[in-house]
Amino acid sequence: MLRGLYTAAAGLITQQRRHDTVTQNIANLNTPGYKQETAVQRSFPEMLVAMTGGYADNPNRTVGRLNTGVFAEESLSPYVQGPLKQSGQTTDFALVSDIIVNDPATGQPVRFDPSGKYVDANGQVTYKPEAFFTVRDETGNVRYTRDGHFKLDGLGTLRTSTGSEVLDAVGNPITLTGAVKDLKVNGQGELLNGDHMPTGITLGISIIDQPYQLVREGDGNFRLDTQSGATARRLQAGDNVELKQGYLEGSNVDATQSMVDMMAAQRAYESNQRVVQFYDASLDKAVNQVGRV
């Protein structure tokens, strides 16, 4: 009986975390560059149940397999392109990324699924590389973001909306000497002067080959998980990445699907709650009524 109570309690915790994840997505519907999270639910390892008593001449003592509930193992973020919104601000930037990867076996471009994943005939998984702005937070650590809602501080340093320094292609902070209206950037991220000529400064755009290995840190920033083998490289000629000035990439959260997921999590939570109440009533009867006899 207690095993069933533990299973229902595990379901309660899992649905609560699922509900919290969906709530976070809905709260960031209007956050530029936000990538939604999806809670991955998995079952605990099954147990093989066997008889400990019974007839001694019975060679088959196996009863069957027993599932002990589910748990929220992790949260994954599909790094698909969000919709572009024109803001008209010269300090707003959006990345349009569609990097092509060739299959080593066939030499043909890989066709990724809507989540940015491709599985070949041998079961080898390939993730679609994605482009990110390179920034440096207040502690001096390099981070990556898709939030291109930048601003200029009093010293002319280009910063993110949360105060991180925007880095150039060689890892230095970008500091401008002109007014905001003089900030011009072409599609490759090169800063232009008043004559629309390159100034030699390029926005730091990094390509993450394994975006699913990024660790979310908050404020729209991600960091590399070096232990997982994730790597970042500079934008190269031939990468199908375009920088659009005066635009912002919107959140890729599906509002309709998020509401459906929230209602499903609520209904599943209520079901597990009723199971806990049933076990509580059964234990109460076993202790206070049956045990009294």
Side-chain angles (χ1 to χ4, degrees), residues 183-200:
L183 177 60
K184 299 294 182 182
V185 181
N186 60 19
Q188 289 70 46
E190 298 176 324
L191 273 67
L192 308 177
N193 57 22
D195 298 327
H196 299 280
M197 298 298 294
T199 60

Side-chain angles (χ1 to χ4, degrees), residues 8-292:
L12 284 172
I13 297 173
T14 299
Q15 297 306 322
Q16 179 181 356
R17 292 181 177 175
R18 180 186 177 191
H19 187 276
D20 292 343
T21 300
V22 177
T23 302
Q24 175 179 313
N25 291 335
I26 295 177
N28 288 277
L29 275 172
N30 297 319
T31 302
Y34 178 81
K35 303 302 177 184
Q36 73 170 7
E37 288 190 277
T38 302
V40 178
Q41 304 173 43
R42 295 187 181 179
S43 62
F44 286 104
E46 294 181 339
M47 296 188 300
L48 185 62
V49 182
M51 293 186 295
T52 58
Y55 297 103
D57 58 349
N58 183 10
N60 185 14
R61 292 175 174 267
T62 301
V63 176
R65 296 182 181 275
L66 176 67
N67 194 297
T68 55
V70 299
F71 67 104
E73 183 180 38
E74 58 182 342
S75 295
L76 298 179
S77 298
Y79 293 93
V80 297
Q81 182 77 44
L84 297 187
K85 301 178 181 179
Q86 187 173 8
S87 66
Q89 299 293 326
T90 57
T91 53
D92 287 343
F93 300 94
L95 289 171
V96 180
S97 175
D98 188 17
I99 300 175
I100 298 175
V101 177
N102 292 326
D103 190 336
T106 63
Q108 299 297 321
V110 169
R111 294 185 178 181
F112 295 97
D113 63 16
S115 66
K117 183 175 66 175
Y118 168 75
V119 182
D120 61 15
N122 298 322
Q124 185 68 28
V125 179
T126 302
Y127 294 103
K128 187 176 183 179
E130 294 292 342
F132 289 82
F133 295 108
T134 310
V135 300
R136 186 164 61 194
D137 62 16
E138 64 278 0
T139 60
N141 297 314
V142 175
R143 295 295 182 255
Y144 306 94
T145 183
R146 294 281 291 201
D147 183 1
H149 184 45
F150 301 151
K151 60 183 179 181
L152 290 172
D153 63 11
L155 300 177
T157 301
L158 193 62
R159 297 181 179 272
T160 66
S161 58
T162 57
S164 298
E165 296 175 328
V166 180
L167 303 181
D168 60 15
V170 295
N172 297 321
I174 296 177
T175 301
L176 306 178
T177 57
V180 177
K181 59 184 178 61
D182 296 327
L183 177 60
K184 299 294 182 182
V185 181
N186 60 19
Q188 289 70 46
E190 298 176 324
L191 273 67
L192 308 177
N193 57 22
D195 298 327
H196 299 280
M197 298 298 294
T199 60
I201 302 176
T202 304
L203 279 173
I205 301 175
S206 299
I207 305 299
I208 309 298
D209 293 326
Q210 298 286 341
Y212 281 87
Q213 300 297 340
L214 289 172
V215 179
R216 190 187 298 264
E217 286 198 336
D219 293 333
N221 291 341
F222 298 86
R223 65 174 173 88
L224 283 177
D225 184 6
T226 55
Q227 295 182 352
S228 65
T231 58
R233 61 177 176 85
R234 291 173 54 181
L235 180 68
Q236 301 175 356
D239 290 330
N240 192 15
V241 178
E242 182 184 4
L243 180 71
K244 298 183 73 66
Q245 186 176 16
Y247 288 82
L248 286 175
E249 180 186 3
S251 168
N252 66 353
V253 176
D254 188 335
T256 303
Q257 185 61 47
S258 295
M259 292 303 299
V260 173
D261 293 341
M262 178 177 289
M263 295 301 297
Q266 180 180 350
R267 294 291 182 264
Y269 186 93
E270 292 173 350
S271 297
N272 284 281
Q273 190 178 36
R274 286 193 290 269
V275 172
V276 172
Q277 293 172 348
F278 169 78
Y279 277 112
D280 179 67
S282 299
L283 288 172
D284 176 71
K285 180 174 291 187
V287 172
N288 298 318
Q289 297 183 25
V290 177
R292 187 183 304 171

